[in-house]
Amino acid sequence: MPTERVATVVGDLVDRVNDAIAKHEVTYDEYHAAMSYLIRLGEAGEWPLFLDVFFEHTVERLNQGEGGTIEGPYYVPGAPWLERPYVMPMREDEKGDSLILSGTVRATDGEPIPGAVLDMWQADADTNYSNIQEEPPPFNLRGKMTTDENGEFEVRTIVPPYYHLPRGGPMEELLNAAGWHDYRPGHLHFIVSADGYTPLTTQLYFEGDRYLDSDVASAVKPELILTLQKHDSPEEMEARGMKKPFFTTSHEFRLKPQTG
Ligand code: DHB
Ligand code: FE
């Protein structure tokens, strides 16, 4: 990075931290507690969690804007390519309500994009991410799929219930110490990409979730909140080959053509 840029941004950051220290008359005890905290945060490997919770949303709004939101710390490359009809990799007895998400990937001018790639990941019903937390098998609820010739896709998964950040480490300690909760609304993560377009990183949320208005990661946008339709009649279940009631919803992703 150019020296001038580093000096400008880091200089401003340092000034602002010093302003806060002065404004609140931070004591030596507090200064040392903060230092020891930041060291433990690093030792626990929670810097990505901390930074994404407090700061990624601002970077995201500047660089993606409408239709996008933060990636968060738990994307893992190399998720399996799924086969149609798409079903997210899951355990036989995967907890949670069944969800069929359908949708279209379009260019910003409305043209559907065939062959767009959706790289999708989510937590399980117990708020655990595969390849991050121990319990789910590798790549559980992570998968890649493509849109068909009409730019459409459909995938079966589970409705992710509202979510809390991993507990037991320095991040939880800080949130507790400040009296803040550690919840995010339930969400599905995506990176949507296609040749000639800027990849879109985003998440989808669900109407009625109790944490839509107080996401600890400040990453909810109104255009990303979906309405779930419940299907519980025997006819509907039969028609979809589902053994229990299920939900459906849909979303349109919009990709910006790449410039230059
Ligand atoms: C964060 C984002 C997530 O989507 C998640 O599941 C956990 C943490 C974050 O912003 O740090
Ligand atoms: Fe997440």
Side-chain angles (χ1 to χ4, degrees), residues 48-50 52-53 56 70-74 129 163 165-166 184 187 189 203 217:
L49 177 65
F50 177 95
D52 287 350
V53 163
E56 190 189 355
I70 69 169
E71 178 177 315
Y74 301 136
Y129 280 91
Y163 169 90
L165 302 182
R184 303 206 59 221
H187 55 279
H189 288 270
Q203 302 180 27

Side-chain angles (χ1 to χ4, degrees), residues 77-129:
W81 285 99
L82 309 182
E83 308 259 1
R84 286 194 180 83
Y86 295 134
V87 180
M88 286 292 267
M90 63 176 86
R91 291 158 283 195
E92 205 143 309
D93 55 349
E94 192 71 44
K95 269 169 57 181
D97 291 325
S98 290
L99 169 65
I100 296 172
L101 168 72
S102 57
T104 312
V105 178
R106 295 181 190 278
T108 34
D109 68 2
E111 269 302 295
I113 307 177
V117 175
L118 295 113
D119 194 340
M120 176 175 168
W121 72 104
Q122 67 179 97
D124 70 11
D126 297 320
T127 78
N128 293 315
Y129 280 91

